[in-house]
Amino acid sequence: MSTAYQEDISSSVLRRMKEGGFDFSRFHPIEFYAIFPDEERARRAAGQYKGESLNAQISVRDDGAWALELSKVMYATYDDIGDFEQGFEAVVEPLGGILEGWGVKQEIRGRLA
């Protein structure tokens, strides 16, 4: 995925989060997603984030590919998310994986959305 395209997506998501009243002053667990052709490569990528990530989950998808979800506690800023994504991509791509974006749960009226 091209960096310019990803930046457009991130800008749009962050703008919608702001419009929805997201609290950017706090740390949040931000989820980053990648897809791999097999379990072994997904596990190798996950292993690069021991101690750095709040949570790493690997699961098989319906199409037989393997999904990696990393959850990192951080500020939800364009620069912080972009910096982490660049490092994540540097780990994922050499293992034959592809980035599939990021997300964050937003609290609405005292509950998670």
Side-chain angles (χ1 to χ4, degrees):
M1 185 176 299
S2 79
T3 304
Y5 177 73
Q6 190 62 29
E7 288 172 0
D8 289 342
I9 292 171
S10 290
S11 294
S12 176
V13 170
L14 289 165
R15 187 172 33 260
R16 288 192 318 256
M17 288 166 59
K18 182 177 181 180
E19 291 166 358
F22 187 83
D23 184 357
F24 287 95
S25 69
R26 296 183 353 189
F27 287 111
H28 295 275
I30 311 291
E31 289 88 24
F32 296 87
Y33 308 99
I35 305 300
F36 293 87
D38 57 55
E39 180 181 10
E40 188 269 331
R41 290 186 244 191
R43 290 196 182 283
R44 282 179 42 203
Q48 297 293 313
Y49 292 93
K50 289 186 178 177
E52 183 176 331
S53 173
L54 171 68
N55 191 14
Q57 295 181 353
I58 299 168
S59 59
V60 67
R61 294 173 14 143
D62 291 340
D63 63 4
W66 284 79
L68 167 60
E69 177 185 319
L70 287 178
S71 179
K72 180 170 176 56
V73 176
M74 60 192 292
Y75 285 112
T77 68
Y78 182 82
D79 288 338
D80 289 347
I81 290 168
D83 289 347
F84 188 83
E85 270 190 317
Q86 280 187 318
F88 190 38
E89 185 174 39
V91 169
V92 167
E93 285 191 348
L95 294 171
I98 57 169
L99 296 185
E100 189 153 86
W102 63 271
V104 62
K105 292 178 178 71
Q106 181 171 348
E107 291 183 30
I108 299 177
R109 295 183 218 137
R111 66 180 197 274
L112 292 178

